[in-house]
């Protein structure tokens, strides 16, 4: 089974959104791109010497590129401090990208490779009027005996997916669904948690700190899962990606290869949606 590893440094989020592309390109454009990416990663105005060092250029080389970028509106310079920051045209480019990016289509295309890499089922879930709603199921070679299908619901209190939503959504959205669950004693895949409300709140806080949630043999015996969120440019949770499989095939350790592969996946898609948290 694949054990992909990833760098946990959150500053890599913007760099993750710049995939390697095969083929001959224009070297000067790529060098200029390093300057722009350095400004993105810095998230604050930069002095010329620091910007040049980050892009692995001499100050003279960097200055020539910055003059052209200023003419295009990609970069602007503060008159008082002399520091450089991204300009208005860079903002327009970013907004155009966001307007033309469909979060579901982005995830739906990418989960095919994730399921193949991990050899486990992968689901995409969104928050619907009745709670966590499955919108896509990508099967794998490791079949599981659980009723997971598009249009189905995960519970908030009893599944890894639901707990991730509860950890990041506003409480006013989650509380009505959670209250209804806790007042019901359902069985099977939609089983709810037997935790007390205060225990669940503590569990949601642990999920926020870890950045993902895991479940073992719950709510279905013999089935385990890992779930992690995808955020948009405002920091709002858009989707939850859940990896599901036979317990014997799922490593739920947060430091394990499967968890790290899932986190790398969700961080990359979040970065593509403009998230830089």
């Amino acid at each position: 089974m694949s054990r992909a590893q990833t760098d946990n440094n959150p500053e890599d989020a913007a760099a993750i959104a710049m995939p390697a592309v095969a083929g001959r390109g224009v070297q000067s454009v790529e060098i200029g791109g390093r300057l722009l990416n350095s400004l993105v990663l810095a998230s604050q105005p930069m002095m010329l010497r620091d910007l040049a060092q980050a892009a692995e250029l001499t100050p003279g080389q960097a200055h020539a590129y910055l003059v052209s970028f200023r003419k295009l509106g990609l970069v602007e310079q503060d008159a008082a401090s002399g520091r450089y920051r991204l300009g208005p045209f860079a903002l327009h480019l970013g907004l155009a990208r966001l307007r033309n990016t469909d979060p579901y289509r982005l995830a739906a295309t990418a989960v095919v490779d994730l399921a193949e890499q991990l050899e486990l089922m992968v689901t995409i879930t969104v928050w619907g009027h009745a709670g966590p709603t499955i919108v896509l199921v990508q099967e794998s070679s490791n079949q599981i005996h659980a009723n997971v299908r598009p249009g189905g619901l995960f519970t908030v209190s009893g599944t890894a997916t639901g707990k991730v939503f509860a950890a990041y959504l506003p409480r006013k959205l989650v509380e009505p669904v959670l209250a209804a669950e806790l007042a019901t004693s359902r069985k099977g895949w939609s089983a709810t948690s037997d935790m007390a409300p205060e225990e669940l709140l503590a569990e949601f806080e642990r999920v926020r700190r870890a950045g993902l949630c895991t479940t073992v043999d719950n709510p279905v015996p013999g089935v385990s899962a890992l779930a992690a969120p995808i955020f948009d440019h405002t920091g709002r949770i858009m989707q939850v990606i859940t990896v599901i499989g036979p317990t014997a095939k799922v490593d739920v350790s947060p430091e394990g290869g499967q968890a790290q592969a899932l986190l790398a996946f969700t961080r990359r898609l979040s970065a593509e949606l403009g998230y830089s948290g």
Side-chain angles (χ1 to χ4, degrees), residues 12-156:
D12 287 341
I16 292 173
M18 298 178 63
V21 178
R24 183 178 179 181
V26 180
Q27 186 179 25
S28 60
V29 174
E30 295 172 10
I31 293 172
R34 297 209 307 262
L35 281 168
L36 296 174
N37 194 51
S38 296
L39 284 172
V40 172
L41 292 174
S43 300
Q44 61 184 356
M46 299 180 70
M47 295 296 293
L48 173 61
R49 64 175 183 274
D50 299 325
L51 184 53
Q53 183 179 16
E56 300 179 347
L57 298 171
T58 67
Q61 290 174 313
H63 183 263
Y65 282 97
L66 291 169
V67 169
S68 293
F69 286 156
R70 288 179 65 190
K71 291 179 180 179
L72 294 172
L74 282 169
V75 168
E76 59 186 16
Q77 186 179 24
D78 182 77
S81 67
R83 295 175 183 268
Y84 292 89
R85 58 177 174 259
L86 292 174
F89 186 48
L91 174 62
H92 292 314
L93 286 174
L95 292 174
R97 160 72 177 184
L98 291 173
R99 285 193 296 267
N100 290 282
T101 300
D102 181 341
Y104 170 75
R105 185 177 302 172
L106 182 70
T109 301
V111 294
V112 176
D113 290 336
L114 182 64
E116 182 179 344
Q117 174 190 355
L118 299 180
E119 299 179 351
L120 297 170
M121 175 189 286
V122 180
T123 67
I124 301 175
T125 307
V126 299
W127 184 264
H129 70 278
T133 305
I134 305 166
V135 293
L136 185 142
V137 177
Q138 183 63 45
E139 300 283 357
S140 77
S141 57
N142 283 309
Q143 298 295 315
I144 60 172
H145 299 288
N147 188 18
V148 183
R149 65 186 187 281
L153 296 174
F154 286 120
T155 62
V156 172

Side-chain angles (χ1 to χ4, degrees), residues 239-265:
Q239 304 164 336
V240 173
I241 304 298
T242 307
V243 175
I244 307 170
T247 296
K249 299 287 186 179
V250 178
D251 178 5
V252 296
S253 168
E255 295 78 25
Q258 292 171 355
Q260 292 303 306
L262 174 61
L263 288 173
F265 178 88

